[in-house]
mmCIF file of all heavy atoms in Angstrom:
data_model
loop_
_atom_site.group_PDB
_atom_site.id
_atom_site.type_symbol
_atom_site.label_atom_id
_atom_site.label_comp_id
_atom_site.label_asym_id
_atom_site.label_seq_id
_atom_site.Cartn_x
_atom_site.Cartn_y
_atom_site.Cartn_z
ATOM 1 N N GLY A 1 25.201 2.911 18.842
ATOM 2 C CA GLY A 1 24.118 2.931 17.863
ATOM 3 C C GLY A 1 24.306 1.912 16.763
ATOM 4 O O GLY A 1 25.050 0.943 16.912
ATOM 5 N N TYR A 2 23.625 2.144 15.648
ATOM 6 C CA TYR A 2 23.650 1.164 14.566
ATOM 7 C C TYR A 2 23.632 1.844 13.205
ATOM 8 O O TYR A 2 23.412 3.032 13.085
ATOM 9 C CB TYR A 2 22.475 0.196 14.701
ATOM 10 C CG TYR A 2 21.108 0.838 14.577
ATOM 11 C CD1 TYR A 2 20.460 0.890 13.337
ATOM 12 C CD2 TYR A 2 20.469 1.396 15.680
ATOM 13 C CE1 TYR A 2 19.218 1.487 13.214
ATOM 14 C CE2 TYR A 2 19.212 1.986 15.555
ATOM 15 C CZ TYR A 2 18.598 2.032 14.322
ATOM 16 O OH TYR A 2 17.373 2.621 14.185
ATOM 17 N N TYR A 3 23.902 1.040 12.172
ATOM 18 C CA TYR A 3 23.811 1.480 10.786
ATOM 19 C C TYR A 3 22.872 0.513 10.078
ATOM 20 O O TYR A 3 22.425 -0.468 10.672
ATOM 21 C CB TYR A 3 25.192 1.539 10.135
ATOM 22 C CG TYR A 3 25.931 0.223 10.078
ATOM 23 C CD1 TYR A 3 25.900 -0.568 8.931
ATOM 24 C CD2 TYR A 3 26.669 -0.233 11.162
ATOM 25 C CE1 TYR A 3 26.583 -1.777 8.870
ATOM 26 C CE2 TYR A 3 27.358 -1.445 11.111
ATOM 27 C CZ TYR A 3 27.295 -2.204 9.969
ATOM 28 O OH TYR A 3 27.967 -3.393 9.900
ATOM 29 N N MET A 4 22.542 0.784 8.822
ATOM 30 C CA MET A 4 21.671 -0.115 8.078
ATOM 31 C C MET A 4 22.528 -0.937 7.118
ATOM 32 O O MET A 4 23.430 -0.408 6.468
ATOM 33 C CB MET A 4 20.623 0.668 7.299
ATOM 34 C CG MET A 4 19.627 1.381 8.196
ATOM 35 S SD MET A 4 18.716 0.294 9.308
ATOM 36 C CE MET A 4 17.394 -0.246 8.234
ATOM 37 N N ALA A 5 22.224 -2.235 7.033
ATOM 38 C CA ALA A 5 23.082 -3.123 6.250
ATOM 39 C C ALA A 5 22.280 -4.203 5.541
ATOM 40 O O ALA A 5 21.173 -4.542 5.941
ATOM 41 C CB ALA A 5 24.104 -3.783 7.174
ATOM 42 N N VAL A 6 22.905 -4.714 4.489
ATOM 43 C CA VAL A 6 22.390 -5.890 3.791
ATOM 44 C C VAL A 6 23.535 -6.900 3.762
ATOM 45 O O VAL A 6 24.555 -6.658 3.133
ATOM 46 C CB VAL A 6 21.975 -5.548 2.337
ATOM 47 C CG1 VAL A 6 21.563 -6.815 1.609
ATOM 48 C CG2 VAL A 6 20.840 -4.537 2.327
ATOM 49 N N PRO A 7 23.395 -8.037 4.470
ATOM 50 C CA PRO A 7 24.434 -9.065 4.414
ATOM 51 C C PRO A 7 24.500 -9.677 3.013
ATOM 52 O O PRO A 7 23.483 -9.762 2.321
ATOM 53 C CB PRO A 7 23.984 -10.110 5.431
ATOM 54 C CG PRO A 7 22.837 -9.516 6.170
ATOM 55 C CD PRO A 7 22.284 -8.405 5.341
ATOM 56 N N ALA A 8 25.696 -10.105 2.618
ATOM 57 C CA ALA A 8 25.910 -10.615 1.253
ATOM 58 C C ALA A 8 25.084 -11.853 0.928
ATOM 59 O O ALA A 8 24.754 -12.095 -0.225
ATOM 60 C CB ALA A 8 27.396 -10.928 1.052
ATOM 61 N N PHE A 9 24.726 -12.646 1.931
ATOM 62 C CA PHE A 9 24.048 -13.920 1.649
ATOM 63 C C PHE A 9 22.532 -13.774 1.498
ATOM 64 O O PHE A 9 21.848 -14.751 1.213
ATOM 65 C CB PHE A 9 24.360 -14.940 2.761
ATOM 66 C CG PHE A 9 23.999 -14.467 4.130
ATOM 67 C CD1 PHE A 9 22.686 -14.515 4.583
ATOM 68 C CD2 PHE A 9 24.969 -13.932 4.969
ATOM 69 C CE1 PHE A 9 22.348 -14.054 5.847
ATOM 70 C CE2 PHE A 9 24.641 -13.473 6.232
ATOM 71 C CZ PHE A 9 23.327 -13.530 6.675
ATOM 72 N N VAL A 10 21.985 -12.590 1.679
ATOM 73 C CA VAL A 10 20.530 -12.394 1.592
ATOM 74 C C VAL A 10 20.063 -12.447 0.135
ATOM 75 O O VAL A 10 20.670 -11.840 -0.741
ATOM 76 C CB VAL A 10 20.136 -11.041 2.219
ATOM 77 C CG1 VAL A 10 18.704 -10.681 1.886
ATOM 78 C CG2 VAL A 10 20.329 -11.079 3.720
ATOM 79 N N GLY A 11 18.991 -13.177 -0.128
ATOM 80 C CA GLY A 11 18.400 -13.195 -1.471
ATOM 81 C C GLY A 11 19.237 -13.945 -2.489
ATOM 82 O O GLY A 11 20.121 -14.728 -2.143
ATOM 83 N N HIS A 12 18.945 -13.692 -3.757
ATOM 84 C CA HIS A 12 19.650 -14.318 -4.874
ATOM 85 C C HIS A 12 20.374 -13.257 -5.674
ATOM 86 O O HIS A 12 20.040 -12.083 -5.580
ATOM 87 C CB HIS A 12 18.642 -15.048 -5.784
ATOM 88 C CG HIS A 12 17.845 -16.073 -5.051
ATOM 89 N ND1 HIS A 12 18.357 -17.295 -4.687
ATOM 90 C CD2 HIS A 12 16.569 -16.053 -4.589
ATOM 91 C CE1 HIS A 12 17.435 -17.983 -4.036
ATOM 92 N NE2 HIS A 12 16.341 -17.253 -3.958
ATOM 93 N N LYS A 13 21.305 -13.677 -6.519
ATOM 94 C CA LYS A 13 22.046 -12.747 -7.359
ATOM 95 C C LYS A 13 21.064 -11.837 -8.112
ATOM 96 O O LYS A 13 20.048 -12.298 -8.610
ATOM 97 C CB LYS A 13 22.907 -13.548 -8.344
ATOM 98 C CG LYS A 13 23.876 -12.689 -9.076
ATOM 99 C CD LYS A 13 24.775 -13.503 -9.987
ATOM 100 C CE LYS A 13 25.539 -12.540 -10.859
ATOM 101 N NZ LYS A 13 25.617 -12.932 -12.220
ATOM 102 N N LYS A 14 21.394 -10.563 -8.173
ATOM 103 C CA LYS A 14 20.600 -9.527 -8.856
ATOM 104 C C LYS A 14 19.341 -9.096 -8.095
ATOM 105 O O LYS A 14 18.616 -8.224 -8.541
ATOM 106 C CB LYS A 14 20.180 -9.946 -10.289
ATOM 107 C CG LYS A 14 21.344 -10.213 -11.212
ATOM 108 C CD LYS A 14 21.824 -8.926 -11.820
ATOM 109 C CE LYS A 14 22.859 -9.173 -12.899
ATOM 110 N NZ LYS A 14 23.709 -8.016 -13.120
ATOM 111 N N ASP A 15 19.037 -9.711 -6.951
ATOM 112 C CA ASP A 15 17.912 -9.239 -6.136
ATOM 113 C C ASP A 15 18.221 -7.838 -5.616
ATOM 114 O O ASP A 15 19.386 -7.475 -5.438
ATOM 115 C CB ASP A 15 17.686 -10.166 -4.931
ATOM 116 C CG ASP A 15 16.840 -11.385 -5.274
ATOM 117 O OD1 ASP A 15 16.476 -11.536 -6.454
ATOM 118 O OD2 ASP A 15 16.552 -12.176 -4.359
ATOM 119 N N MET A 16 17.175 -7.067 -5.348
ATOM 120 C CA MET A 16 17.329 -5.685 -4.903
ATOM 121 C C MET A 16 16.659 -5.458 -3.555
ATOM 122 O O MET A 16 15.596 -6.018 -3.292
ATOM 123 C CB MET A 16 16.622 -4.724 -5.871
ATOM 124 C CG MET A 16 17.018 -4.854 -7.308
ATOM 125 S SD MET A 16 18.573 -4.037 -7.584
ATOM 126 C CE MET A 16 18.681 -4.245 -9.348
ATOM 127 N N GLY A 17 17.277 -4.586 -2.758
ATOM 128 C CA GLY A 17 16.655 -4.099 -1.531
ATOM 129 C C GLY A 17 16.734 -2.589 -1.543
ATOM 130 O O GLY A 17 17.792 -2.029 -1.797
ATOM 131 N N ARG A 18 15.603 -1.929 -1.286
ATOM 132 C CA ARG A 18 15.586 -0.467 -1.348
ATOM 133 C C ARG A 18 15.144 0.140 -0.017
ATOM 134 O O ARG A 18 14.159 -0.284 0.565
ATOM 135 C CB ARG A 18 14.665 0.003 -2.470
ATOM 136 C CG ARG A 18 15.289 -0.177 -3.835
ATOM 137 C CD ARG A 18 14.415 0.354 -4.955
ATOM 138 N NE ARG A 18 13.291 -0.526 -5.214
ATOM 139 C CZ ARG A 18 13.333 -1.559 -6.044
ATOM 140 N NH1 ARG A 18 14.430 -1.844 -6.715
ATOM 141 N NH2 ARG A 18 12.268 -2.325 -6.213
ATOM 142 N N LEU A 19 15.900 1.133 0.413
ATOM 143 C CA LEU A 19 15.609 1.881 1.624
ATOM 144 C C LEU A 19 15.377 3.318 1.198
ATOM 145 O O LEU A 19 16.231 3.914 0.535
ATOM 146 C CB LEU A 19 16.799 1.769 2.578
ATOM 147 C CG LEU A 19 16.624 2.306 3.984
ATOM 148 C CD1 LEU A 19 15.510 1.572 4.718
ATOM 149 C CD2 LEU A 19 17.936 2.148 4.749
ATOM 150 N N LYS A 20 14.220 3.857 1.567
ATOM 151 C CA LYS A 20 13.815 5.161 1.053
ATOM 152 C C LYS A 20 13.838 6.201 2.165
ATOM 153 O O LYS A 20 13.294 5.986 3.246
ATOM 154 C CB LYS A 20 12.392 5.011 0.507
ATOM 155 C CG LYS A 20 11.948 6.101 -0.417
ATOM 156 C CD LYS A 20 10.525 5.857 -0.904
ATOM 157 C CE LYS A 20 10.487 4.866 -2.054
ATOM 158 N NZ LYS A 20 9.153 4.811 -2.680
ATOM 159 N N LEU A 21 14.486 7.329 1.880
ATOM 160 C CA LEU A 21 14.500 8.473 2.785
ATOM 161 C C LEU A 21 13.476 9.471 2.269
ATOM 162 O O LEU A 21 13.624 9.997 1.163
ATOM 163 C CB LEU A 21 15.898 9.103 2.800
ATOM 164 C CG LEU A 21 16.040 10.452 3.504
ATOM 165 C CD1 LEU A 21 15.623 10.361 4.961
ATOM 166 C CD2 LEU A 21 17.474 10.943 3.394
ATOM 167 N N LEU A 22 12.404 9.675 3.043
ATOM 168 C CA LEU A 22 11.361 10.610 2.619
ATOM 169 C C LEU A 22 11.766 12.021 3.011
ATOM 170 O O LEU A 22 12.103 12.280 4.166
ATOM 171 C CB LEU A 22 10.022 10.238 3.275
ATOM 172 C CG LEU A 22 9.555 8.812 2.994
ATOM 173 C CD1 LEU A 22 8.235 8.539 3.681
ATOM 174 C CD2 LEU A 22 9.430 8.561 1.505
ATOM 175 N N LEU A 23 11.764 12.910 2.041
ATOM 176 C CA LEU A 23 12.161 14.295 2.283
ATOM 177 C C LEU A 23 10.943 15.194 2.246
ATOM 178 O O LEU A 23 10.205 15.215 1.269
ATOM 179 C CB LEU A 23 13.142 14.757 1.203
ATOM 180 C CG LEU A 23 14.427 13.949 1.082
ATOM 181 C CD1 LEU A 23 15.223 14.407 -0.121
ATOM 182 C CD2 LEU A 23 15.259 14.067 2.341
ATOM 183 N N THR A 24 10.744 15.933 3.311
ATOM 184 C CA THR A 24 9.656 16.894 3.314
ATOM 185 C C THR A 24 10.269 18.256 3.608
ATOM 186 O O THR A 24 11.394 18.329 4.112
ATOM 187 C CB THR A 24 8.614 16.555 4.395
ATOM 188 O OG1 THR A 24 9.314 16.322 5.616
ATOM 189 C CG2 THR A 24 7.831 15.302 4.026
ATOM 190 N N ASP A 25 9.562 19.289 3.287
ATOM 191 C CA ASP A 25 9.996 20.655 3.605
ATOM 192 C C ASP A 25 11.280 21.103 2.905
ATOM 193 O O ASP A 25 11.946 22.008 3.400
ATOM 194 C CB ASP A 25 10.210 20.834 5.130
ATOM 195 C CG ASP A 25 8.996 20.403 5.920
ATOM 196 O OD1 ASP A 25 7.879 20.541 5.389
ATOM 197 O OD2 ASP A 25 9.163 19.926 7.043
ATOM 198 N N LEU A 26 11.661 20.486 1.799
ATOM 199 C CA LEU A 26 12.799 21.029 1.056
ATOM 200 C C LEU A 26 12.283 22.195 0.227
ATOM 201 O O LEU A 26 11.253 22.097 -0.421
ATOM 202 C CB LEU A 26 13.412 19.980 0.132
ATOM 203 C CG LEU A 26 14.157 18.822 0.775
ATOM 204 C CD1 LEU A 26 14.989 18.096 -0.269
ATOM 205 C CD2 LEU A 26 15.040 19.246 1.916
ATOM 206 N N LYS A 27 13.024 23.285 0.253
ATOM 207 C CA LYS A 27 12.558 24.464 -0.480
ATOM 208 C C LYS A 27 12.790 24.313 -1.974
ATOM 209 O O LYS A 27 13.870 23.893 -2.395
ATOM 210 C CB LYS A 27 13.310 25.704 0.000
ATOM 211 C CG LYS A 27 13.034 26.077 1.436
ATOM 212 C CD LYS A 27 13.707 27.403 1.745
ATOM 213 C CE LYS A 27 13.949 27.588 3.216
ATOM 214 N NZ LYS A 27 15.045 26.763 3.738
ATOM 215 N N PRO A 28 11.795 24.685 -2.795
ATOM 216 C CA PRO A 28 12.008 24.671 -4.248
ATOM 217 C C PRO A 28 13.116 25.654 -4.626
ATOM 218 O O PRO A 28 13.368 26.604 -3.895
ATOM 219 C CB PRO A 28 10.671 25.119 -4.837
ATOM 220 C CG PRO A 28 9.694 25.059 -3.733
ATOM 221 C CD PRO A 28 10.449 25.109 -2.443
ATOM 222 N N LYS A 29 13.735 25.402 -5.770
ATOM 223 C CA LYS A 29 14.789 26.265 -6.316
ATOM 224 C C LYS A 29 15.943 26.501 -5.327
ATOM 225 O O LYS A 29 16.480 27.590 -5.226
ATOM 226 C CB LYS A 29 14.196 27.617 -6.763
ATOM 227 C CG LYS A 29 13.194 27.477 -7.893
ATOM 228 C CD LYS A 29 12.802 28.837 -8.427
ATOM 229 C CE LYS A 29 12.028 28.766 -9.718
ATOM 230 N NZ LYS A 29 10.792 28.007 -9.672
ATOM 231 N N SER A 30 16.295 25.472 -4.594
ATOM 232 C CA SER A 30 17.477 25.577 -3.741
ATOM 233 C C SER A 30 18.303 24.303 -3.896
ATOM 234 O O SER A 30 17.835 23.328 -4.466
ATOM 235 C CB SER A 30 17.103 25.804 -2.270
ATOM 236 O OG SER A 30 15.889 25.205 -1.943
ATOM 237 N N SER A 31 19.518 24.333 -3.404
ATOM 238 C CA SER A 31 20.358 23.144 -3.537
ATOM 239 C C SER A 31 20.710 22.602 -2.159
ATOM 240 O O SER A 31 20.794 23.335 -1.181
ATOM 241 C CB SER A 31 21.617 23.463 -4.331
ATOM 242 O OG SER A 31 22.221 24.617 -3.822
ATOM 243 N N TYR A 32 20.894 21.290 -2.136
ATOM 244 C CA TYR A 32 21.224 20.583 -0.904
ATOM 245 C C TYR A 32 22.351 19.606 -1.203
ATOM 246 O O TYR A 32 22.572 19.232 -2.346
ATOM 247 C CB TYR A 32 20.010 19.795 -0.394
ATOM 248 C CG TYR A 32 18.875 20.679 0.053
ATOM 249 C CD1 TYR A 32 17.911 21.103 -0.849
ATOM 250 C CD2 TYR A 32 18.783 21.112 1.367
ATOM 251 C CE1 TYR A 32 16.872 21.933 -0.447
ATOM 252 C CE2 TYR A 32 17.744 21.934 1.784
ATOM 253 C CZ TYR A 32 16.797 22.345 0.874
ATOM 254 O OH TYR A 32 15.775 23.160 1.266
ATOM 255 N N CYS A 33 23.015 19.190 -0.143
ATOM 256 C CA CYS A 33 24.046 18.165 -0.278
ATOM 257 C C CYS A 33 23.684 17.009 0.646
ATOM 258 O O CYS A 33 23.420 17.216 1.833
ATOM 259 C CB CYS A 33 25.397 18.742 0.124
ATOM 260 S SG CYS A 33 26.712 17.500 0.089
ATOM 261 N N LEU A 34 23.633 15.815 0.072
ATOM 262 C CA LEU A 34 23.408 14.606 0.855
ATOM 263 C C LEU A 34 24.779 13.965 1.064
ATOM 264 O O LEU A 34 25.476 13.667 0.091
ATOM 265 C CB LEU A 34 22.488 13.655 0.089
ATOM 266 C CG LEU A 34 22.106 12.381 0.825
ATOM 267 C CD1 LEU A 34 21.068 12.692 1.905
ATOM 268 C CD2 LEU A 34 21.549 11.352 -0.133
ATOM 269 N N ILE A 35 25.178 13.805 2.307
ATOM 270 C CA ILE A 35 26.467 13.198 2.637
ATOM 271 C C ILE A 35 26.172 11.927 3.440
ATOM 272 O O ILE A 35 25.306 11.941 4.312
ATOM 273 C CB ILE A 35 27.331 14.156 3.485
ATOM 274 C CG1 ILE A 35 27.595 15.453 2.717
ATOM 275 C CG2 ILE A 35 28.645 13.499 3.871
ATOM 276 C CD1 ILE A 35 28.394 16.477 3.491
ATOM 277 N N PHE A 36 26.859 10.846 3.116
ATOM 278 C CA PHE A 36 26.602 9.591 3.830
ATOM 279 C C PHE A 36 27.868 8.759 3.885
ATOM 280 O O PHE A 36 28.782 8.929 3.081
ATOM 281 C CB PHE A 36 25.472 8.802 3.144
ATOM 282 C CG PHE A 36 25.709 8.510 1.692
ATOM 283 C CD1 PHE A 36 26.234 7.294 1.295
ATOM 284 C CD2 PHE A 36 25.412 9.466 0.720
ATOM 285 C CE1 PHE A 36 26.462 7.034 -0.055
ATOM 286 C CE2 PHE A 36 25.637 9.208 -0.622
ATOM 287 C CZ PHE A 36 26.165 7.989 -1.013
ATOM 288 N N SER A 37 27.920 7.856 4.843
ATOM 289 C CA SER A 37 29.006 6.884 4.935
ATOM 290 C C SER A 37 28.499 5.593 4.318
ATOM 291 O O SER A 37 27.334 5.249 4.487
ATOM 292 C CB SER A 37 29.375 6.616 6.389
ATOM 293 O OG SER A 37 29.810 7.794 7.005
ATOM 294 N N TYR A 38 29.399 4.895 3.629
ATOM 295 C CA TYR A 38 28.987 3.620 3.033
ATOM 296 C C TYR A 38 30.157 2.659 3.072
ATOM 297 O O TYR A 38 31.311 3.057 3.184
ATOM 298 C CB TYR A 38 28.504 3.812 1.585
ATOM 299 C CG TYR A 38 29.600 4.185 0.624
ATOM 300 C CD1 TYR A 38 30.267 3.205 -0.113
ATOM 301 C CD2 TYR A 38 29.987 5.507 0.465
ATOM 302 C CE1 TYR A 38 31.287 3.547 -0.980
ATOM 303 C CE2 TYR A 38 31.013 5.857 -0.404
ATOM 304 C CZ TYR A 38 31.659 4.871 -1.116
ATOM 305 O OH TYR A 38 32.679 5.202 -1.973
ATOM 306 N N ARG A 39 29.818 1.378 2.992
ATOM 307 C CA ARG A 39 30.855 0.349 2.988
ATOM 308 C C ARG A 39 30.379 -0.815 2.133
ATOM 309 O O ARG A 39 29.243 -1.259 2.257
ATOM 310 C CB ARG A 39 31.094 -0.116 4.416
ATOM 311 C CG ARG A 39 32.184 -1.163 4.514
ATOM 312 C CD ARG A 39 32.558 -1.381 5.939
ATOM 313 N NE ARG A 39 31.572 -2.220 6.603
ATOM 314 C CZ ARG A 39 31.827 -2.877 7.736
ATOM 315 N NH1 ARG A 39 32.989 -2.758 8.328
ATOM 316 N NH2 ARG A 39 30.904 -3.632 8.275
ATOM 317 N N LEU A 40 31.254 -1.273 1.253
ATOM 318 C CA LEU A 40 31.005 -2.492 0.485
ATOM 319 C C LEU A 40 32.104 -3.451 0.911
ATOM 320 O O LEU A 40 33.243 -3.309 0.487
ATOM 321 C CB LEU A 40 31.082 -2.207 -1.016
ATOM 322 C CG LEU A 40 29.948 -1.314 -1.525
ATOM 323 C CD1 LEU A 40 30.460 -0.293 -2.504
ATOM 324 C CD2 LEU A 40 28.853 -2.130 -2.152
#
């Protein structure tokens, strides 16, 4: 499989890239934990 990445040479210094995870069906007044792997 694959992961999502931004290579260091993309864009200019201080440029931003945003990836959005849309959450539906989360119950109000409850707690969740988001766990993820990351690499810099």
Side-chain angles (χ1 to χ4, degrees):
Y2 63 93
Y3 61 97
M4 293 302 276
V6 175
F9 56 80
V10 168
H12 303 284
K13 190 177 170 223
K14 299 276 188 203
D15 276 3
M16 306 281 185
R18 284 183 285 272
L19 189 61
K20 197 180 279 190
L21 170 59
L22 303 180
L23 301 173
T24 49
D25 307 329
L26 290 195
K27 295 186 202 74
K29 297 188 169 59
S30 31
S31 49
Y32 293 88
C33 176
L34 183 75
I35 300 178
F36 56 97
S37 299
Y38 69 94
R39 181 169 78 161
L40 292 138

